Amino acid sequence: MENRVIIGGQWGDEGKGKVVDALSEGVDRVIRFQGGANAGHTIYIGQKKHVLHLIPSGILRPGVKCLLGGGMVIDPWSLRDEILSLEQQGVEVRDQLHISGTAQLLMPYHKRLDELKEERLKRKCIGTTGRGIGPAYLDKIQRTGIRMGDLLLPPENLERKCIEKILSANEMLSEFYQADPLPSRVLAEELVDLARFIAPMVVDPYRELRPVREGRETVLFEGAQGTLLDIDHGTYPFVTSSNSTIGGVLTGTGLPPRALGEINGIFKAYLTRVGNGPFPTELLGDEGENLREAGGEFGATTGRARRCGWFDLLAGRYAVDTNGISGVILTKLDVLDGFPTVKVATGYDLDGEALDTFPCLSGVLSRCRPVYREFPGWEKPTSACRDLQELPAAARKYLEFLEEQLGALIVGVSVGRERDQMIWTPTGVTT
Ligand code: IMP
């Protein structure tokens, strides 16, 4: 079995949780390498719905070790709640979960600063998840953060460190934002308490990942968010604050490139986005509403209605090329079952000129108008199909077109939310 990376090919919410869950059978480890509780992976097993924000979906497979990698920003309050909630549902967590000591702590002041910054930006806001992601990465980059390894400090040292950070954040809160300060002593005591709970899971990542470097363990790397939300390669400034593309796997784990293995990009059969920023194929009005209703497109983390639109091939090819995706997994094909026509953007019109590559420079994408190719819909249910040949011919045509245009094989198609609602197509969909 080869190592494998799962990367979001769009603006997040591609259904990575389900794919990671399906592909984690038989691997030794699942590792998250970036982001924090802004992610929301929903997995259905039988009648049970599990929404995971920090913990890799692999936790639902007994015996699979899970690691929160050093590139993450981790809210210890949320982490404890997530662990306890899974344990209440009968999932064994603490023996299977490890946390890199080099990951950053996401503190209550990061969340407060995230909210206040967004409020201040008003109409120009990013539309963040409000989970404190940007301010936590800011602390990391300006070298003032607390790391998970600090939870191993003697309690009085941790308490002192925490109070110092809160007092400094309070200056920002009260002086810049005229907001109430946070109770430093109460929060520091809570953190010391949390440290007792979390510290046994904290590891030195270099030591912990030795079996992976030596090729003795197989890994599934679980990406969060998506290519177009990457801090460097996404639609800046309407992005998250981490590298959600392939480079993030290396910086977020400390593993060398040879550990990557197969690179799978997850794409929805259409496109969604939460938060603000350009989205050329967005459908407004009833059309968008229909797609949202059909796909149940409401955020797993914030419950916000997702913006919906047609598949964008320029953005798709950009994701394939940027990440070196060799196998595409297409999700939610069944959502398109009821549509009489299905469209795909094959190019952009930029102020009267034809554009055939996704533009990276800020401000350009918002001026692009999509040029569509229309496909007749299949108007038949696909959710019971388990084989390519069982799919309606029109659906197969749609898949073949996407495969050819993306320049990567479609190796899997998801036709429903259950674990087994998958069609595996390791040699692609073109017959
Ligand atoms: P932040 O990561 O909370 O700072 O949010 C920045 C942008 O990324 C906003 O547009 C969010 O809606 C978006 N975003 C962050 N995490 C996710 C995710 O897991 N799925 C989809 N969008 C996300």
Side-chain angles (χ1 to χ4, degrees), residues 362-383:
S362 297
V364 179
L365 190 63
S366 57
R367 297 186 354 245
C368 289
R369 301 282 157 263
V371 178
Y372 286 118
R373 165 141 178 193
E374 247 182 74
F375 289 82
W378 39 97
E379 299 188 85
K380 288 193 190 87
T382 56
S383 52

Side-chain angles (χ1 to χ4, degrees), residues 248-259:
V249 185
L250 304 181
T251 53
T253 61
L255 286 167
R258 70 180 144 76

Side-chain angles (χ1 to χ4, degrees), residues 11-14 16 32 35-41 53 114 118 125-135 137 224-226 228-229 237-242 272-277 299-302 304 306-307:
W11 275 295
D13 306 322
E14 300 91 352
K16 296 180 289 295
R32 259 198 71 181
N38 46 349
H41 291 167
H53 296 287
D114 193 6
E118 287 282 277
C125 72
I126 306 294
T128 69
T129 58
R131 297 295 159 104
I133 304 299
Y137 277 109
Q225 291 81 50
L228 304 175
L229 287 172
F238 300 101
V239 291
T240 190
S241 300
S242 65
T272 63
R273 170 165 210 172
V274 231
N276 297 330
T301 301
T302 58
R304 288 182 290 178
R306 297 181 184 139
R307 299 158 66 192

Side-chain angles (χ1 to χ4, degrees), residues 145-183:
I146 309 178
R147 305 213 293 183
M148 293 309 285
D150 293 330
L151 298 185
L152 305 174
L153 288 170
E156 55 284 8
N157 295 13
L158 175 62
E159 191 168 343
R160 199 172 329 114
K161 189 165 189 151
C162 180
I163 288 178
E164 259 171 40
K165 300 284 176 204
I166 298 175
L167 291 179
S168 139
N170 277 348
E171 279 176 28
M172 182 77 171
L173 286 172
S174 51
E175 284 170 28
F176 189 72
Y177 287 109
Q178 283 83 51
D180 290 337
L182 295 173

